[in-house]
Amino acid sequence: LKACNRNNDAESAEHFLSEAVDRGIKLRASDYNSLIDTYARRADIDTALSIFEQMRDVGIQPDKYTYTILIQGFALRRDPDAAAHTLRAMVAAGHTPDRITYAALLNCYVESGVYGAAIRLFGWMQRRRDARIRPSIEVCNMILKAYVLSALPVQKVMRFVSSVRRAGLQPNAQTYALMLQSACDAGLMHIAEDVFSEAENVLPNPREGGVGQGANLFHFTIMIHGYLRLGDQTEAKEYFDEMQRRKLRPSAITWSVMVHSYARSDNDVNYNLASTLVSQLVSNEDSKAFKPSSMAELQTQVGVDDSYKAGDVDAPLARKGPSFAVLHTVLMAAQARRGEPEMVERTMERLASSTTGLTVLQMTPLLDAYRRVDDVESALLLFEQIYKVALEKAPARDEAPEAEVTGERGG
C-alpha cells in the first residue's frame, strides 16, 4: 500500500486493500489512510470520502491523520468550507488537532484565496501557549505566500519576515523564494538582487552542504522570470547560465517561465523558439533530461514532527508537480492571443493524446482563440464541452465528513 501510494497508483492500492480484507488480514487506520491519501492527492474527494466511510463500516475509526489527509485534499480542490467542517468533525470525534492539522487548514485558506481567514488562524496559532501549536517557519511561509499572492507591497512582506526573525525563527529556502517573488512581481529587481545575495550567503549549499552558493533552482527560476518579464534577456541568460554551471537541472517551472516569455513576444523568432522548445521537451519526455519537481509540497511546508513518523504511518503529503501540460497550456494561450485557432487545436490535440482528460484551464485558450476570430459557432460548441467538464469537477457542498459532527465548533 505504501509503494502504491508513492507511485500514485490508487487502483492497485484498492485491489491490495480488498485482497487483505478477503483474506481476513487485520487492517489498521494507517492502511486506509494510505489509500485515502492517494485519492486526496488527486483531488478525488468523492472516492477519498467513500474509503473513509468503508473504513468506519469495517469498525476502524479514523485517526487524526485521516482527517488531516482529507483537509489537504480539500486544499487541492480549494474548498475551505469543507476543510473547516472536517476539522470540526475531527474535534467532535475526540481527536486533538496539532500544528500539522491547523497548518493544513491554513494552507487550504491560502490556496483558496481566503486570506483573511488564514491570517486569523495564524494569529490564533501564535497566541497558543502550547509550543506544538505555535507556527514554525514553514507555517509562517504560508502566510508569507498569502501576502505575495494578494500582491501586498514588498515593504510589508519584508516587515513580516523581520517579525519572523524577531520571533526566533530563521528564514529558509522557501522564505527567500517568496521574498524574491514579491520583489520580482513589483519589478524591483534591485531588491530581488539583495535578497538573492543574502540567500546565497546564508542558506546551505543544496549540492555540497555547508554555507555558500545556497540559492536553489527555484531562486534562479524566479530571477529568470523577473528579468524576462522586464524584457532583460541578457540578465535572465546570465542567471540561466549560472544555474547550468552549478548543474541545477531546469524543472517544468523553469521551462514554462521561458516558454511563457518567448511565446508572449511579438517577435516571430521568439514565438517560434517557444514552439520549438515545447516540441523538443515533449519529444524527450521519457528521457532523464527532464525531471519536473514540486516547489511546495505540504509536508515540507508544514514541517513533519516525529509523531507523524511513528506507528508505521506515512505523514500526509499533497504531492502535485508541474508537468508538460503546463507548457502546452502556456503555448496555447500565446497562440490564442495571436488569433490562431488552428494552431491551438493542433497543440490541444497533442496534449489530449498524452493525458487522461483535458481540464477547463487547458480548454480555455481554444475558446479564447475562437472568440478572437469571431467563430461563434465553434465557441458555443466548445463551451458546452467545457461546461460539462466543469460540472464533473465541481465539488458538492456536503461532502465533508458529517456523521461525527455534533455541532461543536472545536478548534
mmCIF file of all heavy atoms in Angstrom, residues 44 50-52 58 60 64 69 98 100 104 143 153 158 172-174 211 214 288 312 315 320 368 382 386 410:
data_model
loop_
_atom_site.group_PDB
_atom_site.id
_atom_site.type_symbol
_atom_site.label_atom_id
_atom_site.label_comp_id
_atom_site.label_asym_id
_atom_site.label_seq_id
_atom_site.Cartn_x
_atom_site.Cartn_y
_atom_site.Cartn_z
ATOM 1 N N ASP A 44 -9.568 13.833 -5.774
ATOM 2 C CA ASP A 44 -10.748 12.976 -5.957
ATOM 3 C C ASP A 44 -11.356 12.740 -4.573
ATOM 4 O O ASP A 44 -11.239 11.657 -3.986
ATOM 5 C CB ASP A 44 -10.332 11.662 -6.613
ATOM 6 C CG ASP A 44 -11.529 10.772 -6.957
ATOM 7 O OD1 ASP A 44 -12.672 11.142 -6.584
ATOM 8 O OD2 ASP A 44 -11.322 9.713 -7.587
ATOM 9 N N SER A 50 -15.450 8.043 0.194
ATOM 10 C CA SER A 50 -16.031 6.693 0.119
ATOM 11 C C SER A 50 -15.156 5.703 0.891
ATOM 12 O O SER A 50 -15.670 4.853 1.641
ATOM 13 C CB SER A 50 -16.151 6.261 -1.343
ATOM 14 O OG SER A 50 -16.593 4.926 -1.441
ATOM 15 N N ILE A 51 -13.838 5.821 0.748
ATOM 16 C CA ILE A 51 -12.918 4.964 1.506
ATOM 17 C C ILE A 51 -13.032 5.273 2.998
ATOM 18 O O ILE A 51 -12.984 4.375 3.851
ATOM 19 C CB ILE A 51 -11.471 5.159 1.022
ATOM 20 C CG1 ILE A 51 -11.350 4.875 -0.480
ATOM 21 C CG2 ILE A 51 -10.525 4.262 1.810
ATOM 22 C CD1 ILE A 51 -11.695 3.468 -0.879
ATOM 23 N N PHE A 52 -13.196 6.548 3.314
ATOM 24 C CA PHE A 52 -13.386 6.977 4.703
ATOM 25 C C PHE A 52 -14.595 6.267 5.322
ATOM 26 O O PHE A 52 -14.542 5.766 6.451
ATOM 27 C CB PHE A 52 -13.579 8.494 4.720
ATOM 28 C CG PHE A 52 -13.883 9.091 6.064
ATOM 29 C CD1 PHE A 52 -12.858 9.468 6.927
ATOM 30 C CD2 PHE A 52 -15.192 9.301 6.473
ATOM 31 C CE1 PHE A 52 -13.137 10.037 8.165
ATOM 32 C CE2 PHE A 52 -15.487 9.866 7.708
ATOM 33 C CZ PHE A 52 -14.452 10.230 8.552
ATOM 34 N N VAL A 58 -16.145 -1.060 8.548
ATOM 35 C CA VAL A 58 -15.489 -2.293 8.984
ATOM 36 C C VAL A 58 -14.984 -2.167 10.423
ATOM 37 O O VAL A 58 -14.241 -3.033 10.912
ATOM 38 C CB VAL A 58 -14.331 -2.676 8.039
ATOM 39 C CG1 VAL A 58 -14.847 -2.960 6.649
ATOM 40 C CG2 VAL A 58 -13.248 -1.602 8.028
ATOM 41 N N ILE A 60 -13.078 0.319 11.818
ATOM 42 C CA ILE A 60 -11.802 1.014 12.049
ATOM 43 C C ILE A 60 -12.080 2.505 12.140
ATOM 44 O O ILE A 60 -12.603 3.106 11.202
ATOM 45 C CB ILE A 60 -10.798 0.722 10.921
ATOM 46 C CG1 ILE A 60 -10.479 -0.769 10.884
ATOM 47 C CG2 ILE A 60 -9.512 1.542 11.117
ATOM 48 C CD1 ILE A 60 -9.565 -1.169 9.753
ATOM 49 N N LYS A 64 -6.314 11.046 13.622
ATOM 50 C CA LYS A 64 -6.081 12.447 13.267
ATOM 51 C C LYS A 64 -5.414 12.582 11.902
ATOM 52 O O LYS A 64 -5.614 13.574 11.197
ATOM 53 C CB LYS A 64 -5.222 13.144 14.332
ATOM 54 C CG LYS A 64 -3.791 12.688 14.438
ATOM 55 C CD LYS A 64 -3.047 13.537 15.471
ATOM 56 C CE LYS A 64 -1.576 13.144 15.566
ATOM 57 N NZ LYS A 64 -0.864 13.985 16.550
ATOM 58 N N ILE A 69 -5.444 14.327 6.216
ATOM 59 C CA ILE A 69 -5.355 13.990 4.790
ATOM 60 C C ILE A 69 -6.537 14.588 4.032
ATOM 61 O O ILE A 69 -6.381 15.160 2.943
ATOM 62 C CB ILE A 69 -5.311 12.459 4.603
ATOM 63 C CG1 ILE A 69 -3.976 11.902 5.098
ATOM 64 C CG2 ILE A 69 -5.516 12.087 3.139
ATOM 65 C CD1 ILE A 69 -3.962 10.388 5.240
ATOM 66 N N ASP A 98 -3.194 19.085 15.779
ATOM 67 C CA ASP A 98 -1.866 19.577 16.097
ATOM 68 C C ASP A 98 -1.464 20.621 15.062
ATOM 69 O O ASP A 98 -2.272 21.047 14.237
ATOM 70 C CB ASP A 98 -0.852 18.431 16.166
ATOM 71 C CG ASP A 98 -0.769 17.643 14.865
ATOM 72 O OD1 ASP A 98 -1.325 18.111 13.843
ATOM 73 O OD2 ASP A 98 -0.162 16.561 14.861
ATOM 74 N N ILE A 100 0.295 20.423 12.415
ATOM 75 C CA ILE A 100 0.178 19.999 11.021
ATOM 76 C C ILE A 100 -1.273 20.064 10.559
ATOM 77 O O ILE A 100 -1.567 20.462 9.423
ATOM 78 C CB ILE A 100 0.765 18.591 10.841
ATOM 79 C CG1 ILE A 100 2.274 18.632 11.103
ATOM 80 C CG2 ILE A 100 0.488 18.053 9.453
ATOM 81 C CD1 ILE A 100 2.973 17.315 10.937
ATOM 82 N N ALA A 104 -2.560 22.544 7.701
ATOM 83 C CA ALA A 104 -3.260 22.062 6.511
ATOM 84 C C ALA A 104 -4.485 22.926 6.229
ATOM 85 O O ALA A 104 -4.774 23.268 5.078
ATOM 86 C CB ALA A 104 -3.671 20.601 6.698
ATOM 87 N N ILE A 143 1.683 32.132 5.380
ATOM 88 C CA ILE A 143 1.147 33.484 5.458
ATOM 89 C C ILE A 143 1.918 34.401 4.518
ATOM 90 O O ILE A 143 1.338 35.269 3.847
ATOM 91 C CB ILE A 143 1.217 34.009 6.904
ATOM 92 C CG1 ILE A 143 0.228 33.234 7.771
ATOM 93 C CG2 ILE A 143 0.904 35.498 6.977
ATOM 94 C CD1 ILE A 143 -1.229 33.382 7.357
ATOM 95 N N PRO A 153 2.420 45.185 -0.777
ATOM 96 C CA PRO A 153 3.695 45.858 -1.072
ATOM 97 C C PRO A 153 4.886 45.077 -0.526
ATOM 98 O O PRO A 153 4.797 44.413 0.507
ATOM 99 C CB PRO A 153 3.546 47.212 -0.356
ATOM 100 C CG PRO A 153 2.071 47.435 -0.263
ATOM 101 C CD PRO A 153 1.463 46.076 -0.088
ATOM 102 N N MET A 158 8.591 42.329 3.635
ATOM 103 C CA MET A 158 9.872 42.349 4.347
ATOM 104 C C MET A 158 9.677 42.574 5.847
ATOM 105 O O MET A 158 10.407 42.001 6.667
ATOM 106 C CB MET A 158 10.782 43.433 3.764
ATOM 107 C CG MET A 158 11.123 43.217 2.294
ATOM 108 S SD MET A 158 11.856 41.582 1.972
ATOM 109 C CE MET A 158 11.971 41.604 0.177
ATOM 110 N N ASN A 172 13.980 30.135 5.711
ATOM 111 C CA ASN A 172 14.552 29.014 4.977
ATOM 112 C C ASN A 172 14.476 29.287 3.477
ATOM 113 O O ASN A 172 14.148 30.399 3.051
ATOM 114 C CB ASN A 172 13.864 27.699 5.364
ATOM 115 C CG ASN A 172 12.375 27.701 5.037
ATOM 116 O OD1 ASN A 172 11.883 28.565 4.305
ATOM 117 N ND2 ASN A 172 11.656 26.736 5.572
ATOM 118 N N ALA A 173 14.752 28.276 2.677
ATOM 119 C CA ALA A 173 14.808 28.471 1.221
ATOM 120 C C ALA A 173 13.484 28.972 0.662
ATOM 121 O O ALA A 173 13.442 29.827 -0.226
ATOM 122 C CB ALA A 173 15.206 27.160 0.546
ATOM 123 N N GLN A 174 12.370 28.458 1.207
ATOM 124 C CA GLN A 174 11.079 28.900 0.698
ATOM 125 C C GLN A 174 10.792 30.349 1.090
ATOM 126 O O GLN A 174 10.194 31.099 0.322
ATOM 127 C CB GLN A 174 9.954 27.996 1.214
ATOM 128 C CG GLN A 174 8.628 28.295 0.519
ATOM 129 C CD GLN A 174 7.477 27.490 1.082
ATOM 130 O OE1 GLN A 174 7.592 26.903 2.146
ATOM 131 N NE2 GLN A 174 6.375 27.470 0.371
ATOM 132 N N VAL A 211 27.826 26.268 3.957
ATOM 133 C CA VAL A 211 27.192 27.547 3.649
ATOM 134 C C VAL A 211 27.893 28.186 2.462
ATOM 135 O O VAL A 211 29.103 28.119 2.329
ATOM 136 C CB VAL A 211 27.243 28.491 4.876
ATOM 137 C CG1 VAL A 211 26.655 29.848 4.533
ATOM 138 C CG2 VAL A 211 26.497 27.867 6.051
ATOM 139 N N GLY A 214 23.987 29.164 -1.707
ATOM 140 C CA GLY A 214 22.805 28.487 -1.183
ATOM 141 C C GLY A 214 21.559 28.630 -2.031
ATOM 142 O O GLY A 214 20.546 27.981 -1.751
ATOM 143 N N LYS A 288 15.702 11.067 -19.209
ATOM 144 C CA LYS A 288 16.010 11.594 -17.887
ATOM 145 C C LYS A 288 16.508 13.029 -17.960
ATOM 146 O O LYS A 288 16.973 13.575 -16.973
ATOM 147 C CB LYS A 288 17.051 10.713 -17.196
ATOM 148 C CG LYS A 288 16.513 9.326 -16.879
ATOM 149 C CD LYS A 288 17.515 8.511 -16.091
ATOM 150 C CE LYS A 288 16.943 7.152 -15.750
ATOM 151 N NZ LYS A 288 17.897 6.330 -14.980
ATOM 152 N N ASP A 312 4.232 3.411 11.980
ATOM 153 C CA ASP A 312 4.116 2.891 10.622
ATOM 154 C C ASP A 312 3.147 3.706 9.792
ATOM 155 O O ASP A 312 2.432 3.188 8.944
ATOM 156 C CB ASP A 312 3.653 1.421 10.654
ATOM 157 C CG ASP A 312 4.043 0.694 9.379
ATOM 158 O OD1 ASP A 312 5.023 1.115 8.748
ATOM 159 O OD2 ASP A 312 3.364 -0.291 9.032
ATOM 160 N N ALA A 315 3.448 10.394 6.833
ATOM 161 C CA ALA A 315 2.834 11.712 7.002
ATOM 162 C C ALA A 315 2.033 12.052 5.760
ATOM 163 O O ALA A 315 2.451 11.776 4.651
ATOM 164 C CB ALA A 315 3.920 12.758 7.211
ATOM 165 N N LYS A 320 1.951 17.334 -5.803
ATOM 166 C CA LYS A 320 1.475 17.696 -7.134
ATOM 167 C C LYS A 320 2.528 18.569 -7.784
ATOM 168 O O LYS A 320 2.909 19.589 -7.261
ATOM 169 C CB LYS A 320 0.124 18.418 -7.086
ATOM 170 C CG LYS A 320 0.112 19.701 -6.261
ATOM 171 C CD LYS A 320 -1.161 20.460 -6.488
ATOM 172 C CE LYS A 320 -1.125 21.808 -5.782
ATOM 173 N NZ LYS A 320 -2.282 22.633 -6.047
ATOM 174 N N ASP A 368 -10.829 31.114 -26.227
ATOM 175 C CA ASP A 368 -10.347 32.482 -26.446
ATOM 176 C C ASP A 368 -9.974 32.697 -27.909
ATOM 177 O O ASP A 368 -10.256 33.752 -28.496
ATOM 178 C CB ASP A 368 -9.143 32.744 -25.549
ATOM 179 C CG ASP A 368 -8.619 34.169 -25.668
ATOM 180 O OD1 ASP A 368 -9.449 35.092 -25.788
ATOM 181 O OD2 ASP A 368 -7.392 34.357 -25.637
ATOM 182 N N LEU A 382 -17.624 24.402 -28.130
ATOM 183 C CA LEU A 382 -16.563 24.137 -27.167
ATOM 184 C C LEU A 382 -17.018 24.480 -25.760
ATOM 185 O O LEU A 382 -16.678 23.771 -24.802
ATOM 186 C CB LEU A 382 -15.310 24.940 -27.526
ATOM 187 C CG LEU A 382 -14.125 24.790 -26.563
ATOM 188 C CD1 LEU A 382 -13.655 23.327 -26.506
ATOM 189 C CD2 LEU A 382 -12.968 25.696 -26.984
ATOM 190 N N ILE A 386 -16.661 22.424 -22.215
ATOM 191 C CA ILE A 386 -16.022 22.974 -21.017
ATOM 192 C C ILE A 386 -16.991 22.941 -19.838
ATOM 193 O O ILE A 386 -16.611 22.583 -18.712
ATOM 194 C CB ILE A 386 -15.543 24.418 -21.288
ATOM 195 C CG1 ILE A 386 -14.403 24.414 -22.301
ATOM 196 C CG2 ILE A 386 -15.104 25.107 -19.995
ATOM 197 C CD1 ILE A 386 -13.949 25.795 -22.730
ATOM 198 N N GLY A 410 -15.157 22.988 17.585
ATOM 199 C CA GLY A 410 -13.827 22.945 18.199
ATOM 200 C C GLY A 410 -12.776 23.485 17.258
ATOM 201 O O GLY A 410 -12.880 23.411 16.060
#
